[in-house]
Amino acid sequence: MESTTLKRKREDWDLTPEEVREDQTQEAPVPQLSLLCDDSAMESLDSSSVLTLPRGCGVDPEDRDEDLDHLASADVVPRSDADHLRQLDSLGISAAQDEPLNADEQTVDLTFKSDGRLPQGPYWFRKSLTNTGLQTLLRSERLTGAAFVHWMHSLIRACNCHVQVSQDLCVADVWATNFGVAANAERILDLPAPELEEAIRLDTWDAIPDGCEEDEDPHCIEVSWVSHPSHPSFSHHTVSPSFVNIPSAQSFSPSLEVWTFKHALDPVQSRGIACVERRESVLLSAPTSAGKTAVAVYAVAMALHEKKRAIYTTPIKALSNQKFLELGKLFGGQYVGIMTGDTVIASDAPIVVMTLEILHSMLYKQARDPNLMDDFAYVIIDEAHFLGNVERGYAWEEVLILLPLHVRLVLLSAVRQRAIILQSQPKWRCPYELLPRFIGRKGQNLKQLMAGLSASVRVADEGIIEVRALDCDVEREAKLRVTRWLTNQGALAKAPDSSSGPLSLQVEDLERLLSLLWYRKQLPTIGFCFDKRMCERIALLLAGGKRMDFSSNAAKSKIHARLQAGLAGLDERDKQLAQVKHCCDLLVRGIGVHHGGMSAAQLPLLREIVELLFADGLLPVIFATETFAIGLNMPAKSVIFTDVVKFDGRARRMLNVSEFRQMSGRAGRRGLDRAGYVYIMLHSDQILQQPATTVLTKLYTEEPSEVVNCYRMRWASLLHLISAGPAHVYAMLSRSLQRFTEPTVAMSRQQEARRMVKVLQELDFVDKSGVTLPKGLLACHLFLAEDALLVADILIALRGFENYSAAQSFAICAAFVAEGSYNDRLKISDSAVCEGLAICRKVAAKLAAKLHSHKLPCCTKCKLLNPISADVLGCDGTEMIKTRLNPKLCETALQWASGRDFTSAVLSSGVAVGGEGFVIRALRRLDELMREITFVLRHDLASPETARRIQQARLLVRRGVLAAPSAYLGEAEDRVAEEIEEEPPWPSQTWPPGYQGTVDAFDIGFSQASCSANFHQPPAPGGPNDILGLAKALIDGRVQPAQVNPIKIHWFRHRYYSLDNRRLAAFRLWRLLDKDAKVPVVVLSRNQALRERWLRKFTTGFTGGRKIRITQTDRFVGLTREQSTFGSSLWS
């Protein structure tokens, strides 16, 4: 995943000077949510549905995840902290230990007496523990089990670097990051047992004192649902917190002040745009090609009009590229940037298109830069129903939770369908002249043909052959026998059975159907095929053996010109790749192939050329997988389903209603066709042992299933949340949709998170108080890896690739990114790579055992996710190795990183001819991962020389077909080839612990996202008992600041945070009227803050605590009068 930080830039981004408005700092109130949805099937392409949503809906997405941290000094190790997290203990997090000794405050001998340096790492060393105080303490009887882990975490914090002790407690490996840290660790390891125990003191904390301010639960907020007057083609609902007053709308007619459309708007588009003008978030649920993008375009125009920025997210890179071009044509190329995994262009532009995972990782960086999203007014999320995706839905949900309240949302989802007419399809027939021989006298021939099979074969009217059996394998064998008999008799036909696999497809039937569509003028058409290899095979058979050609001479010349320009960046050898030659031959005949995925992925450049040619109307026929239907604005006049059965990675199953409608919705071009045509090729009267008529009726008439929340806490998310403060873990879980839709599942997810935290503690990623340890911070830098824990452990086990060349490092890491079926049969020519992979497998098996011991799945295929019986505890780690360490492309990566040509590298991969795109996809992901590993080696493991070698290899790897310019974007600056920029260190604390004085209230942040308006007891003797009353008393002079107990503040990372948020809110209101107003404070040390429930208070790690919401209201106290809607009566 691209980890380049999105730049912030403020310029005049407005469309015209007349449309520029004054930049306002007023914060949007807790938003409302408008929903517009179809009530019934629509009669034309212009009917749609919209759902408009106000932002917020009763939750405070002000808690954000942290991104990255450094280990250069003791101040860098982040402190875990939190809000009202009474459930903190349920997540396995308790009070922290005493502060580690600061190396800068000690007088140490900088001469090393270690037993040896670990190679490559300038400050790594190995220390013998024989007869040392450390060994004595570790072998003591009282340090067993959890106490031993607890003690080791204290040692790691004191050394301020990762320390790994051998199982026999005789050797310690120390991974210091600079000379001072190494010297301090050396000194600590040499201390006698009594002094060492004093240096690493384990403190116990007193009970939480009475009178500590506590927040009300901000998550238990009721919502109200308002249904607006119905419309013939759509319904409209608004959802908002119950305490928000929704003004009744007299009219939903948009003013269209900031953008004018060239075409007349549909009613659903007008309603959606009107809601955007009312500053509401909008969920628009409408059929494919129904014009949902118009609402998104207007939201972008609104952002520019307000001198703000907008983000447009998509689920796939191809759609991001397309939207980049579309928005560039609408608003001007200079105003649009793009960020995907392998492309970064103008990231500081006012409109930025990106894949949603990029936004997801960006939001985790708000803990370092809480102002990161201040410039943005709108975020458009295309294909919002991906929230229900089992593998990727977590990113959609976390984005909705982490986005600041001032950012309004436009969610686009195609889950509705148009009106349809269901017609019958052809059957499988036996030629009349063959019927007597096929049946035989009294059916003897038929009985002999089916001998040994429990299958029923009958010939119905007009020679229709019907084959039935209770077992699908028996039915498949019976149809195969019939097919062979017909073929031997000269009848070229195959059993058209969708359950027998894609090879059963009759190309002859498809040829006749395409000829019919050409005759009926129903081209262009999209043929959906759910097998990547079959997509290309079908097209080649049609253009080869059948010699079908749909392209005119004028179109051929344009296609030739486009191909010549698009392939100009490829080497001559790469142009000879089988997939390139096949694709070019097909395109000049007007036939395109578009697919992605794992088994035979298409070259990205070819896929882009196909998209552009089809969009320009130069390809009458295109065969594609379902990826083509995801958001890409590529409608056709007709759609063909070569099958309605797909393999979903686990089993063959029928298309669900949502999938079918999204693909069939491509039939019919808005503004061009009065109707779209959908053809389904049936190969028998049964589909997966169900009557075909029943299956088709369900696909056409049933309502799509609801988007089911499948949120599951991932290891990477958990690490980032804990690093920003452990209470953010509970805040994330409490805001998940599961809490409201499936409370039982939500409870189990919380219990699972508790076990995950326990694992992180035992593996030295975090300590018992929630402090992220050095190894945890290392894992936080690995965004791309699906399992950052495994990659972090392997990096340490392999000593940061100390004994490996850059090419060998690439080869080993290729196992982390290879997709598809597991294959360890390919020979790897380098013995060092084989040894490295063996170490990786041992680490994976050990990690899997640890996860199983806590009843956690080790991977997506672990038996714990689907146990055969209650007695099955888990797997033996084999599934984790197969899922996370697939060596099928290790030899390919080794050859490519060593400078071999692409063709030779592909031949060593063992992929089928035409599967070159699969290799390119893996190599590109590998390059992104190595970029992150380079950062880790340079900044987390203090191994700059190894980082330099790998970076040089990255520049070599980004060549040839991997570096071919995009057909959409052309030649662009290769920002991704550069190393990830180093993050600046956290600023130093201004006032030391124990300091008492007065400071500006604006210099202190709130530690919580919300607080109640009333105090538990008056903060000043005889004074008011509420925030507003105290603010008035301070303004009037009835209460002096000295009469109010000092506000307890604590330094965390980059600023001071208050532990007394109500009092700070009152002083903020006074400060908004009197710039000289000061607030009395006392600075707490870390230990004092922990005793004051700092762990249970801090949930503003992603917002900087700049404002706070008053619970059960939509009012805030912020840094400006415009932000402070609570207490506005003081100055109005």
Side-chain angles (χ1 to χ4, degrees):
M1 182 180 298
E2 172 54 43
S3 54
T4 301
T5 301
L6 185 64
K7 296 181 179 179
R8 295 186 291 116
K9 183 178 179 182
R10 298 297 304 275
E11 295 178 349
D12 291 334
W13 295 326
D14 304 79
L15 306 179
T16 64
E18 292 75 19
E19 294 171 337
V20 177
R21 292 199 319 179
E22 289 291 332
D23 187 15
Q24 299 179 355
T25 58
Q26 181 173 358
E27 290 285 340
V30 174
Q32 306 157 359
L33 173 60
S34 283
L35 320 174
L36 293 100
C37 307
D38 279 335
D39 289 333
S40 59
M42 302 192 208
E43 299 297 330
S44 69
L45 293 176
D46 295 332
S47 59
S48 310
S49 71
V50 163
L51 175 58
T52 62
L53 325 173
R55 184 75 180 96
C57 296
V59 294
D60 287 328
E62 296 206 325
D63 297 347
R64 315 256 173 278
D65 254 17
E66 157 104 55
D67 180 72
L68 309 170
D69 296 305
H70 287 304
L71 310 176
S73 68
D75 296 334
V76 167
V77 180
R79 226 348 103 180
S80 79
D81 353 77
D83 175 342
H84 59 283
L85 190 49
R86 293 198 177 90
Q87 288 85 342
L88 194 63
D89 293 336
S90 70
L91 293 177
I93 300 171
S94 62
Q97 325 310 320
D98 196 5
E99 297 187 36
L101 297 176
N102 191 335
D104 297 333
E105 299 175 356
Q106 301 164 359
T107 303
V108 296
D109 180 8
L110 297 183
T111 303
F112 284 97
K113 301 181 292 295
S114 57
D115 300 288
R117 305 301 177 110
L118 298 182
Q120 292 297 325
Y123 308 110
W124 309 343
F125 63 91
R126 178 166 292 158
K127 177 73 175 177
S128 173
L129 301 182
T130 305
N131 298 325
T132 62
L134 177 59
Q135 188 182 60
T136 302
L137 286 173
L138 293 177
R139 287 181 174 177
S140 64
E141 294 181 359
R142 59 188 178 85
L143 287 184
T144 57
F148 179 86
V149 174
H150 194 184
W151 201 92
M152 280 300 303
H153 292 168
S154 299
L155 174 66
I156 291 173
R157 283 201 314 275
C159 294
N160 194 31
C161 60
H162 183 62
V163 179
Q164 190 167 294
V165 178
S166 61
Q167 290 186 349
D168 58 6
L169 306 181
C170 292
V171 177
D173 287 341
V174 181
W175 302 76
T177 54
N178 59 53
F179 189 83
V181 172
N184 181 53
E186 175 86 2
R187 184 193 66 83
I188 290 176
L189 296 179
D190 281 336
L191 289 175
E195 296 181 27
L196 180 60
E197 193 165 15
E198 177 64 22
I200 309 174
R201 188 172 63 249
L202 304 179
D203 289 343
T204 57
W205 305 108
D206 300 330
I208 298 172
D210 295 333
C212 180
E213 291 186 85
E214 295 185 11
D215 189 16
E216 298 176 2
D217 186 356
H219 312 298
C220 298
I221 298 177
E222 295 181 357
V223 297
S224 59
W225 180 286
V226 176
S227 297
H228 298 283
S230 60
H231 188 277
S233 62
F234 64 86
S235 58
H236 179 197
H237 314 279
T238 300
V239 183
S240 68
S242 57
F243 53 74
V244 175
N245 242 345
I246 305 177
S248 58
Q250 300 298 324
S251 172
F252 278 102
S253 299
S255 64
L256 301 179
E257 292 180 354
V258 301
W259 188 261
T260 302
F261 294 92
K262 296 180 180 179
H263 60 275
L265 295 175
D266 291 342
V268 70
Q269 293 173 322
S270 298
R271 182 69 62 91
I273 290 173
C275 293
V276 170
E277 291 185 333
R278 288 159 54 90
R279 306 302 193 273
E280 294 181 350
S281 292
V282 179
L283 169 58
L284 175 58
S285 176
T288 303
S289 303
K292 298 183 294 293
T293 306
V295 181
V297 168
Y298 199 85
V300 172
M302 284 279 290
L304 297 183
H305 185 69
E306 298 172 5
K307 299 187 70 174
K308 294 286 187 178
R309 305 173 70 187
I311 292 175
Y312 196 113
T313 71
T314 71
I316 56 176
K317 295 178 184 178
L319 182 54
S320 293
N321 293 337
Q322 188 183 76
K323 293 301 178 183
F324 174 73
L325 286 187
E326 288 183 7
L327 294 174
K329 292 177 181 178
L330 286 172
F331 297 98
Q334 70 274 25
Y335 294 119
V336 185
I338 186 171
M339 295 176 67
T340 62
D342 49 17
T343 304
V344 177
I345 299 176
S347 59
D348 58 351
I351 308 168
V352 188
V353 182
M354 61 181 69
T355 47
L356 186 123
E357 279 83 359
I358 297 292
L359 176 61
H360 177 250
S361 64
M362 191 177 89
L363 290 175
Y364 276 111
K365 300 179 181 180
Q366 288 182 112
R368 179 168 287 276
D369 183 8
N371 304 321
L372 186 63
M373 296 296 293
D374 283 2
D375 288 341
F376 293 95
Y378 282 93
V379 168
I380 295 95
I381 299 181
D382 210 343
E383 305 297 321
H385 52 271
F386 261 73
L387 183 141
N389 186 281
V390 175
E391 296 180 355
R392 299 175 62 193
Y394 73 90
W396 271 254
E397 185 156 358
E398 290 185 5
V399 163
L400 296 178
I401 294 173
L402 295 175
L403 275 172
L405 280 177
H406 74 273
V407 178
R408 293 180 288 278
L409 285 164
V410 175
L411 307 169
L412 308 179
S413 177
V415 293
R416 301 281 168 174
Q417 79 165 25
R418 307 177 186 135
I420 52 89
I421 299 175
L422 182 61
Q423 297 179 347
S424 60
Q425 307 297 318
K427 303 286 185 178
W428 186 29
R429 290 180 172 84
C430 177
Y432 289 110
E433 62 272 18
L434 294 179
L435 281 177
R437 276 184 286 166
F438 180 67
I439 298 174
R441 187 170 181 267
K442 296 184 178 181
Q444 289 300 318
N445 292 354
L446 208 54
K447 291 179 181 178
Q448 194 171 13
L449 187 64
M450 295 292 111
L453 294 179
S454 301
S456 169
V457 180
R458 63 183 293 267
V459 180
D461 295 340
E462 300 181 357
I464 297 176
I465 301 175
E466 297 178 353
V467 179
R468 294 181 181 178
L470 294 177
D471 185 88
C472 59
D473 292 331
V474 173
E475 182 179 342
R476 186 180 298 111
E477 175 62 24
K479 291 180 179 180
L480 183 61
R481 292 185 184 183
V482 173
T483 299
R484 288 173 179 167
W485 188 91
L486 291 173
T487 304
N488 292 336
Q489 301 301 319
L492 299 177
K494 291 184 178 180
D497 176 19
S498 61
S499 66
S500 64
L503 291 178
S504 65
L505 179 68
Q506 290 186 353
V507 178
E508 291 82 0
D509 289 341
L510 188 58
E511 177 193 10
R512 289 193 292 269
L513 177 56
L514 290 175
S515 300
L516 179 64
L517 297 184
W518 175 82
Y519 176 77
R520 291 179 174 177
K521 295 182 170 43
Q522 292 179 2
L523 299 178
T525 188
I526 302 173
F528 285 110
C529 179
F530 305 109
D531 183 276
K532 285 83 177 178
R533 288 192 178 95
M534 283 303 297
C535 270
E536 197 158 339
R537 184 174 177 182
I538 291 171
L540 288 172
L541 286 173
L542 289 172
K546 301 299 178 183
R547 308 303 296 173
M548 299 197 78
D549 191 336
F550 299 94
S551 183
S552 65
N553 291 331
K556 287 182 188 295
S557 61
K558 294 180 180 179
I559 293 172
H560 276 297
R562 183 67 63 84
L563 285 173
Q564 192 171 8
L567 302 178
L570 293 182
D571 297 334
E572 288 302 320
R573 286 179 298 182
D574 293 336
K575 292 180 181 178
Q576 300 306 312
L577 291 171
Q579 192 176 122
V580 175
K581 293 194 293 184
H582 291 165
C583 185
C584 292
D585 292 342
L586 290 172
L587 290 177
V588 295
R589 293 177 175 273
I591 302 174
V593 176
H594 185 284
H595 58 74
M598 291 181 268
S599 60
Q602 193 175 19
L603 291 174
L605 179 60
L606 296 179
R607 194 163 58 241
E608 292 174 354
I609 292 175
V610 169
E611 292 166 5
L612 292 172
L613 289 174
F614 189 77
D616 291 343
L618 298 176
L619 295 182
V621 177
I622 186 170
F623 292 97
T625 55
E626 59 187 311
T627 308
F628 196 73
I630 301 178
L632 288 173
N633 185 21
M634 300 285 179
K637 192 164 187 177
S638 60
V639 162
I640 300 172
F641 286 88
T642 60
D643 206 339
V644 290
V645 178
K646 62 176 283 189
F647 181 73
D648 61 4
R650 298 179 181 179
R652 288 178 60 80
R653 64 168 177 83
M654 231 97 64
L655 294 178
N656 60 46
V657 176
S658 297
E659 293 169 336
F660 176 76
R661 292 185 180 180
Q662 182 156 23
M663 285 180 273
S664 61
R666 291 296 169 197
R669 297 162 296 179
R670 182 180 180 86
L672 294 177
D673 305 320
R674 293 183 59 85
Y677 302 90
V678 179
Y679 295 87
I680 301 175
M681 299 183 68
L682 292 182
H683 311 296
S684 75
D685 59 353
Q686 287 199 337
I687 301 175
L688 293 184
Q689 298 182 341
Q690 296 185 45
T693 54
T694 303
V695 172
L696 294 182
T697 302
K698 288 181 179 179
L699 288 177
Y700 276 108
T701 59
E702 281 191 354
E703 285 296 315
S705 57
E706 294 183 356
V707 176
V708 178
N709 178 277
C710 50
Y711 182 73
R712 200 182 196 108
M713 182 68 72
R714 297 170 68 252
W715 290 106
S717 298
L718 182 62
L719 277 169
H720 286 293
L721 289 168
I722 292 178
S723 68
H728 293 86
V729 178
Y730 174 71
M732 177 68 73
L733 292 172
S734 66
R735 287 169 168 84
S736 171
L737 292 175
Q738 281 177 340
R739 180 179 179 188
F740 307 99
T741 59
E742 301 175 277
T744 305
V745 176
M747 183 62 68
S748 67
R749 290 289 179 261
Q750 184 173 332
Q751 296 170 353
E752 184 180 71
R754 179 172 65 241
R755 298 196 299 272
M756 293 172 71
V757 171
K758 187 68 174 177
V759 169
L760 292 179
Q761 293 170 357
E762 295 181 4
L763 295 178
D764 298 335
F765 285 91
V766 300
D767 71 3
K768 191 171 178 60
S769 68
V771 173
T772 309
L773 297 172
K775 191 165 74 165
L777 294 174
L778 182 157
C780 283
H781 292 97
L782 299 170
F783 282 91
L784 185 75
E786 292 187 20
D787 194 338
L789 271 64
L790 176 62
V791 178
D793 274 340
I794 287 176
L795 283 176
I796 292 175
L798 294 178
R799 306 293 184 194
F801 299 117
E802 60 181 7
N803 296 321
Y804 298 90
S805 67
Q808 291 168 340
S809 303
F810 268 79
I812 294 172
C813 291
F816 303 150
V817 299
E819 299 171 305
S821 58
Y822 181 80
N823 186 356
D824 60 353
R825 296 186 300 274
L826 293 173
K827 183 179 179 181
I828 299 176
S829 58
D830 194 300
S831 59
V833 174
C834 295
E835 293 173 1
L837 289 173
I839 294 175
C840 293
R841 285 189 283 269
K842 290 180 181 178
V843 173
K846 184 177 179 181
L847 178 59
K850 173 65 69 175
L851 296 176
H852 293 156
S853 68
H854 289 273
K855 298 183 179 180
L856 291 170
C858 62
C859 62
T860 55
K861 296 184 179 180
C862 181
K863 295 178 182 178
L864 271 179
L865 293 174
N866 187 22
I868 301 174
S869 68
D871 299 329
V872 178
L873 179 62
C875 63
D876 58 0
T878 304
E879 294 300 332
M880 185 175 195
I881 293 173
K882 291 181 177 181
T883 305
R884 298 282 188 255
L885 295 171
N886 192 341
K888 65 192 301 181
L889 290 180
C890 291
E891 179 66 18
T892 303
L894 178 67
Q895 299 292 338
W896 183 247
S898 300
R900 297 285 297 277
D901 62 89
F902 184 74
T903 302
S904 301
V906 169
L907 291 176
S908 66
S909 67
V911 300
V913 176
E916 298 88 350
F918 164 72
V919 179
I920 291 179
R921 172 189 169 101
L923 290 179
R924 284 186 169 179
R925 294 189 70 239
L926 174 60
D927 176 62
E928 296 175 46
L929 175 61
M930 297 309 291
R931 187 174 186 232
E932 294 176 353
I933 289 178
T934 300
F935 180 92
V936 167
L937 292 173
R938 186 178 297 280
H939 302 292
D940 294 332
L941 293 178
S943 186
E945 180 59 29
T946 305
R948 183 190 61 79
R949 292 202 313 266
I950 292 180
Q951 175 61 18
Q952 289 178 341
R954 285 191 63 236
L955 298 177
L956 172 66
V957 163
R958 299 178 65 81
R959 69 182 189 276
V961 68
L962 259 71
S966 167
Y968 281 104
L969 310 177
E971 296 288 346
E973 181 183 2
D974 194 3
R975 289 278 307 280
V976 182
E978 304 171 2
E979 287 193 53
I980 300 174
E981 296 179 1
E982 181 181 3
E983 295 171 336
W986 297 110
S988 301
Q989 186 171 350
T990 308
W991 307 298
Y995 170 82
Q996 294 191 40
T998 58
V999 301
D1000 191 332
F1002 289 168
D1003 293 336
I1004 306 172
F1006 294 104
S1007 61
Q1008 295 171 287
S1010 61
C1011 69
S1012 65
N1014 299 315
F1015 295 97
H1016 295 302
Q1017 56 187 10
N1025 198 33
D1026 63 289
I1027 293 175
L1028 195 56
L1030 178 58
K1032 290 179 179 179
L1034 289 169
I1035 294 169
D1036 297 340
R1038 290 182 285 114
V1039 172
Q1040 296 299 317
Q1043 296 178 262
V1044 182
N1045 291 331
I1047 294 177
K1048 296 181 286 290
I1049 62 175
H1050 176 55
W1051 179 266
F1052 182 73
R1053 291 188 170 172
H1054 52 72
R1055 74 175 309 175
Y1056 287 100
Y1057 289 90
S1058 168
L1059 280 82
D1060 301 315
N1061 293 299
R1062 295 171 180 82
R1063 273 177 272 170
L1064 178 59
F1067 276 95
R1068 280 269 190 103
L1069 294 175
W1070 180 31
R1071 172 63 176 82
L1072 290 172
L1073 285 171
D1074 185 355
K1075 65 179 181 181
D1076 296 324
K1078 300 292 183 181
V1079 53
V1081 299
V1082 57
V1083 180
L1084 303 183
S1085 67
R1086 187 187 66 191
N1087 295 341
Q1088 291 171 329
L1090 291 171
R1091 293 189 182 98
E1092 292 287 343
R1093 302 188 71 174
W1094 169 252
L1095 283 177
R1096 302 179 185 272
K1097 282 185 174 289
F1098 183 63
T1099 52
T1100 55
F1102 299 99
T1103 62
R1106 290 172 293 168
K1107 63 179 182 178
I1108 194 167
R1109 185 177 64 83
I1110 307 302
T1111 54
Q1112 298 304 310
T1113 74
D1114 59 344
R1115 305 301 177 89
F1116 292 86
V1117 176
L1119 293 172
T1120 65
R1121 293 187 182 184
E1122 290 77 12
Q1123 290 179 352
S1124 302
T1125 51
F1126 179 81
S1128 58
S1129 59
L1130 296 175
W1131 50 79
S1132 61

